[in-house]
Amino acid sequence: MGEINNKQTVYQAIKTIADNLCKEDKTYLRADLAYELKKYGVASDSSEVSKLVFDAYRFFHNDGNISIAFVSNNSRTTLVAEYKLNDSLEQGNKEMALKIAEAELTLSSSALDKLKEEVEQNLNLVLAKGTSKLADIVMGTNGVKDVRSKASTMFDKYTKMVEAYHYAEDSVRGNIEDFTSLRSDIGTVYRDYALKLIDIYGDSIKMVSPDLFDFKRIEWLDVDEMLKYVELEYNKLSENCAALMGHISDSFRASLQNSLQAYKSVSNGNKSLGLAMAGLAMLDHYMDASERTNRLKSDLSVFQTSVKHDATRIKADMGRLMIICKTLNDVVIPKANVFLRYGEKLMASDLKAMLDALYGDETVRPLEEKRRELLQQLKVLDMEMNDHLQNIDVYTSLINDITSTLESKRASYMDAKAKKPSKPFFLVNLLTFGTANKNYYRNYSEWNSVCFPLVREYESYQVDLKLDKEELDAHREAQTRIKNEYAKLSNELNKVSGDIRSKIVCSDELKMKMLKHLRDIVAMLKLGREIMESKIDEKWVHTVDIPDFKETAKLPADIEQNLSQFTGLLADNVHADPAMAKNLLDGVAVYANDRKRIQGNATQNTPAEYCEEELAEVTGAMEQSLQRGIALFDSFAQLKVQQLNGQLASAAYDKELKKHADEFKREMAKIDNKSAYLREVFKRINLASNEDERKQAMSLLSDLSGYSLSEQEFTDFINGKKQIEL
């Protein structure tokens, strides 16, 4: 960041931008704001921009617009909310910082509960009941509408489930970021007091660099990519529903018209023939509609199984997120809380008198103050490094997503560009008396309305990709710069510490006085390092994998083969003949006479005679209906096979989920046991009546086997034969 001469001017600029954004109901990413503030000396996007926003928010008395107008580069939270924790740490208000972290952990637990509810709904697949009307039943479209209703319900629930996963992921990420901030603060305390011990005992004390866990290694489900695939399948299913609805409606009207024509064509002859032909025509329509609807229901069953697979994956991964959240919420942050609240106070209390004597010399005091200043600068750099690493992660993910989108849309974009009409040469326009220009403008208008939106969207993605790559490069450059600056300050810190040790003389008497506190201070520092090294077990770092059982959990292949052979056998051997046609016509005649008798218009029932041509016509129509019926049976059998396969896959998913759920349950029980133990320790720490009791209680926080020095080890340490590693 460049030199900012007048911060109040920057604050006013931030407020003006926030007010304008809120009027338009918009927000700025932190990178967007950094660009706007360049004219005021802001060189690049960094955590300093967040600090300026927070300071402006405070300067204007907790301004509401500033609090909501600017969001982090991953759009997960506002800059004001994000910076509150860091501000509390900078102000030395550790109590407030810990309260903020604890509050966010509570929110993450709530987010996981919401996610669990959304996933349960998708696993149960509670679908909307059909809302078919009588007209749909008469026309034959009721089955299609039921499929469309169920698919819509599933997709709606799936979308909500993805949103809930994002919310839970963002909450857990926020808690991780809070812990890394607390970890930096503990690191400053650890290094400060370790250097003080080294000042007293020299090389007999060794400071160990903590092995910090990289929380960015934690993986997350790419639910957006999952949603894209499901949306594609849903859109395809919806389009098929719409097309089939149109086909059935047109078929119904055509069949009804054909039936009426068939009946009217023989109205002066044998009416039984007309009724039979009309009935067969309508029967053919309903069987065709049912067959096509069964195929659509099979597609719905495949879609439902796919959604069940995704919902199972998300629920299983939710269990993993809950373990991470509970580890942070019930173990890691509470331990950090207690350490920051009491650890430094207890060590300062033990060392105060001795340190006053140790650094009392006028030549040493400025050096010790310089060292404290360097430690704070290193802490700030550490937090800046975390910020840049988080944004590198953000922009890498954005670039991957945009690149994938551009690749998927490239063919359509090139096709749209190729279709753009070219303006005709002016001589061509003159020779055609202006017709060429008229055709051009008409074609361009059509292209502009159909193709240009895709071109504009694609080229907008290209611009975003370019800007995101520039931001990624800027954060990587900043990361390199901070690494170099950190190394430079570390060398300076080592030099200052060396100068301090060259100027002070720690008497044997002072060293002996310190021995009674050494064990407690070493244990406290080792506890601090242990908390900094808190990590997530490797098996919870990676997303949970749920196998896809759609192809493996199926009925035996010979069942489908036998069904196909059976329907093929029916099609080859079941046919209509004139005798069947005559029986049909006789049955229609009997039915017609019975209806007339009921209405009081009965006539003498004499057997009807049919010519060969009439029997052949009915036989042909019956043959078509028989074959249509066999095809309907085949579609119904295939539907049942698909539904049974879906049930087998669903059972396999449930079994796989239970296996993971049992493992999660065991892990949660372990965390609960540790949490219950820690609560008892916290109670002892808080209720301790003196510092010695509190130190003893603090030692119980450690997962280590314990650290103590025997009398012989004390002697070896004093005689320079033993080195203590912190």
Side-chain angles (χ1 to χ4, degrees):
M1 173 169 288
E3 188 66 28
I4 299 175
N5 297 322
N6 190 343
K7 287 194 174 182
Q8 290 189 17
T9 303
V10 179
Y11 299 160
Q12 184 59 58
I14 290 171
K15 177 168 173 52
T16 301
I17 294 171
D19 291 342
N20 291 334
L21 287 171
C22 289
K23 283 179 185 177
E24 299 178 11
D25 197 24
K26 294 180 179 178
T27 58
Y28 262 5
L29 297 178
R30 195 181 74 181
D32 298 330
L33 179 60
Y35 179 81
E36 295 291 334
L37 296 179
K38 276 188 176 181
K39 65 184 80 170
Y40 301 102
V42 176
S44 63
D45 177 30
S46 69
S47 59
E48 284 297 314
V49 177
S50 300
K51 178 173 174 54
L52 285 171
V53 170
F54 189 84
D55 290 345
Y57 164 76
R58 289 292 195 215
F59 183 80
F60 289 106
H61 311 292
N62 298 348
D63 183 82
N65 286 348
I66 295 176
S67 71
I68 62 174
F70 309 110
V71 297
S72 58
N73 288 329
N74 57 19
S75 302
R76 291 192 179 104
T77 184
T78 65
L79 295 186
V80 169
E82 182 183 56
Y83 203 77
K84 280 184 178 178
L85 177 64
N86 287 343
D87 179 70
S88 297
L89 290 174
E90 287 173 6
Q91 301 301 322
N93 191 347
K94 294 178 181 177
E95 290 288 337
M96 179 58 68
L98 294 168
K99 286 180 181 178
I100 292 171
E102 289 165 354
E104 291 190 6
L105 283 171
T106 302
L107 285 176
S108 71
S109 297
S110 172
L112 290 171
D113 290 340
K114 181 181 178 183
L115 174 62
K116 184 178 180 181
E117 179 184 341
E118 295 290 350
V119 173
E120 288 291 352
Q121 288 185 10
N122 279 273
L123 285 171
N124 295 331
L125 294 174
V126 181
L127 305 176
K129 294 182 178 179
T131 56
S132 300
K133 298 178 181 178
L134 180 60
D136 298 322
I137 296 172
V138 171
M139 194 178 294
T141 57
N142 57 311
V144 182
K145 285 194 171 182
D146 190 49
V147 169
R148 186 171 63 181
S149 174
K150 289 179 178 179
S152 176
T153 301
M154 276 192 283
F155 184 69
D156 180 61
K157 290 180 181 295
Y158 190 98
T159 302
K160 290 179 180 177
M161 177 177 65
V162 168
E163 290 174 357
Y165 187 90
H166 274 308
Y167 182 67
E169 176 188 343
D170 292 345
S171 297
V172 175
R173 282 181 184 272
N175 294 332
I176 290 171
E177 289 170 11
D178 289 345
F179 173 66
T180 55
S181 294
L182 298 176
R183 184 171 69 181
S184 295
D185 214 52
I186 294 174
T188 301
V189 173
Y190 171 81
R191 180 176 277 192
D192 184 22
Y193 281 87
L195 288 172
K196 286 177 168 59
L197 283 185
I198 293 172
D199 287 344
I200 297 173
Y201 292 107
D203 293 337
S204 297
I205 299 287
K206 182 181 179 182
M207 181 170 58
V208 179
S209 296
D211 182 14
L212 302 181
F213 179 74
D214 182 8
F215 284 96
K216 294 177 195 61
R217 291 181 53 234
I218 294 175
E219 297 175 356
W220 314 90
L221 284 179
D222 190 353
V223 289
D224 287 329
E225 192 64 30
M226 293 162 65
L227 177 60
K228 283 181 186 177
Y229 177 78
V230 169
E231 185 175 15
L232 185 66
E233 294 302 304
Y234 169 71
N235 289 337
K236 191 187 301 181
L237 193 58
S238 296
E239 289 169 5
N240 290 341
C241 284
L244 186 53
M245 288 274 289
H247 172 82
I248 292 175
S249 299
D250 293 343
S251 175
F252 177 77
R253 285 190 290 270
S255 299
L256 189 60
Q257 186 176 3
N258 292 338
S259 297
L260 291 172
Q261 288 176 351
Y263 181 73
K264 289 178 181 178
S265 66
V266 292
S267 59
N268 296 323
N270 190 335
K271 292 190 175 182
S272 295
L273 176 61
L275 283 172
M277 293 301 294
L280 287 170
M282 291 307 299
L283 177 63
D284 191 66
H285 161 74
Y286 286 122
M287 287 194 296
D288 178 63
S290 296
E291 179 195 351
R292 291 173 181 269
T293 302
N294 283 341
R295 306 294 182 196
L296 195 63
K297 287 179 178 178
S298 290
D299 293 340
L300 176 68
S301 180
V302 172
F303 180 68
Q304 183 169 325
T305 303
S306 180
V307 169
K308 176 64 180 281
H309 175 232
D310 284 358
T312 305
R313 286 182 68 194
I314 292 176
K315 182 168 186 182
D317 208 58
M318 179 194 68
R320 182 180 70 99
L321 291 184
M322 291 182 71
I323 287 172
I324 295 172
C325 180
K326 197 170 182 63
T327 301
L328 289 170
N329 196 15
D330 293 3
V331 178
V332 176
I333 286 185
K335 287 171 72 172
N337 183 333
V338 170
F339 184 86
L340 287 172
R341 187 168 286 140
Y342 297 113
E344 185 175 9
K345 291 179 182 178
L346 291 173
M347 289 189 290
S349 174
D350 286 341
L351 290 173
K352 187 177 185 309
M354 283 168 280
L355 293 179
D356 287 345
L358 195 64
Y359 303 128
D361 189 278
E362 291 182 358
T363 61
V364 175
R365 192 181 307 111
L367 290 172
E368 208 275 328
E369 290 175 358
K370 176 65 175 176
R371 185 166 68 181
R372 283 203 302 269
E373 181 183 330
L374 288 171
L375 286 170
Q376 288 302 314
Q377 290 177 15
L378 286 170
K379 174 186 167 184
V380 170
L381 287 179
D382 188 44
M383 296 175 71
E384 285 186 17
M385 177 64 79
N386 285 335
D387 179 81
H388 287 297
L389 289 173
Q390 288 161 15
N391 279 286
I392 287 171
D393 185 42
V394 168
Y395 284 109
T396 300
S397 177
L398 285 173
I399 288 168
N400 290 338
D401 289 344
I402 294 175
T403 301
S404 175
T405 301
L406 287 173
E407 288 175 358
S408 67
K409 294 178 180 289
R410 186 175 184 278
S412 300
Y413 169 74
M414 298 302 293
D415 183 57
K417 290 275 286 185
K419 289 179 179 177
K420 183 178 180 181
S422 300
K423 194 168 185 178
F425 187 55
F426 77 97
L427 287 177
V428 174
N429 189 53
L430 286 174
L431 291 172
T432 58
F433 303 102
T435 302
N437 257 357
K438 289 179 181 178
N439 290 337
Y440 163 74
Y441 287 120
R442 183 176 63 251
N443 293 336
Y444 183 85
S445 177
E446 182 179 344
W447 178 87
N448 191 61
S449 62
V450 176
C451 299
F452 182 66
L454 172 62
V455 172
R456 180 175 55 199
E457 180 189 30
Y458 188 90
E459 292 179 350
S460 175
Y461 276 125
Q462 287 180 316
V463 172
D464 289 342
L465 181 62
K466 178 178 178 296
L467 293 175
D468 287 344
K469 284 182 175 180
E470 289 175 356
E471 290 292 343
L472 178 61
D473 290 341
H475 283 291
R476 282 176 172 165
E477 288 173 5
Q479 178 193 9
T480 302
R481 175 181 57 77
I482 290 173
K483 273 185 178 179
N484 294 334
E485 193 173 344
Y486 195 93
K488 180 181 177 182
L489 285 179
S490 294
N491 289 334
E492 190 175 349
L493 178 67
N494 292 335
K495 183 178 181 304
V496 170
S497 294
D499 290 343
I500 290 174
R501 285 194 290 275
S502 69
K503 292 181 180 297
I504 62 176
V505 178
C506 186
S507 65
D508 291 342
E509 181 184 359
L510 186 59
K511 291 180 181 179
M512 292 303 296
K513 286 182 178 179
M514 181 62 198
L515 283 179
K516 66 178 182 179
H517 303 296
L518 182 62
R519 186 180 307 176
D520 293 335
I521 292 176
V522 168
M524 202 69 67
L525 290 175
K526 289 177 76 70
L527 173 62
R529 179 160 67 90
E530 178 190 327
I531 294 172
M532 283 189 286
E533 292 178 341
S534 296
K535 61 183 181 179
I536 303 300
D537 194 289
E538 190 64 27
K539 61 185 175 183
W540 311 126
V541 167
H542 308 289
T543 56
V544 178
D545 180 42
I546 299 293
D548 190 346
F549 293 110
K550 287 197 291 290
E551 297 302 323
T552 55
K554 300 177 70 172
L555 292 170
D558 59 343
I559 292 180
E560 292 189 52
Q561 186 178 354
N562 291 339
L563 280 172
S564 297
Q565 290 176 350
F566 178 66
T567 53
L569 189 66
L570 287 176
D572 292 339
N573 294 280
V574 178
H575 300 286
D577 56 36
M580 293 172 64
K582 188 175 185 308
N583 288 335
L584 173 64
L585 291 170
D586 289 343
V588 172
V590 171
Y591 172 78
N593 282 329
D594 288 343
R595 294 291 300 173
K596 289 179 179 179
R597 189 177 300 108
I598 293 171
Q599 296 170 2
N601 299 319
T603 59
Q604 187 176 0
N605 187 11
T606 57
E609 295 295 332
Y610 310 103
C611 66
E612 289 186 6
E613 184 179 346
E614 290 173 334
L615 289 174
E617 185 178 1
V618 175
T619 301
M622 288 184 68
E623 176 67 19
Q624 182 176 335
S625 294
L626 272 174
Q627 294 304 317
R628 181 73 72 185
I630 292 170
L632 174 60
F633 171 77
D634 181 63
S635 70
F636 179 77
Q638 294 300 324
L639 170 61
K640 288 304 173 186
V641 167
Q642 181 59 56
Q643 289 176 337
L644 286 171
N645 284 340
Q647 291 173 14
L648 289 173
S650 178
Y653 293 139
D654 290 339
K655 182 178 180 181
E656 191 73 13
L657 180 62
K658 186 179 185 305
K659 180 177 73 176
H660 288 289
D662 290 343
E663 184 180 12
F664 294 151
K665 188 176 180 180
R666 289 191 294 271
E667 188 66 25
M668 295 289 271
K670 291 179 185 177
I671 298 172
D672 284 336
N673 290 337
K674 180 175 270 190
S675 176
Y677 168 78
L678 287 175
R679 284 196 298 272
E680 290 300 316
V681 173
F682 298 156
K683 189 185 297 183
R684 286 185 58 178
I685 292 171
N686 291 324
L687 297 178
S689 58
N690 56 60
E691 289 188 353
D692 286 338
E693 287 184 5
R694 184 159 287 143
K695 288 175 190 175
Q696 292 175 9
M698 288 281 287
S699 67
L700 299 175
L701 290 177
S702 179
D703 289 332
L704 301 174
S705 58
Y707 184 85
S708 61
L709 292 173
S710 65
E711 291 298 328
Q712 183 59 49
E713 286 173 323
F714 265 120
T715 303
D716 291 341
F717 171 71
I718 291 298
N719 293 330
K721 297 179 181 179
K722 180 177 178 59
Q723 185 182 54
I724 296 177
E725 289 190 356
L726 300 177

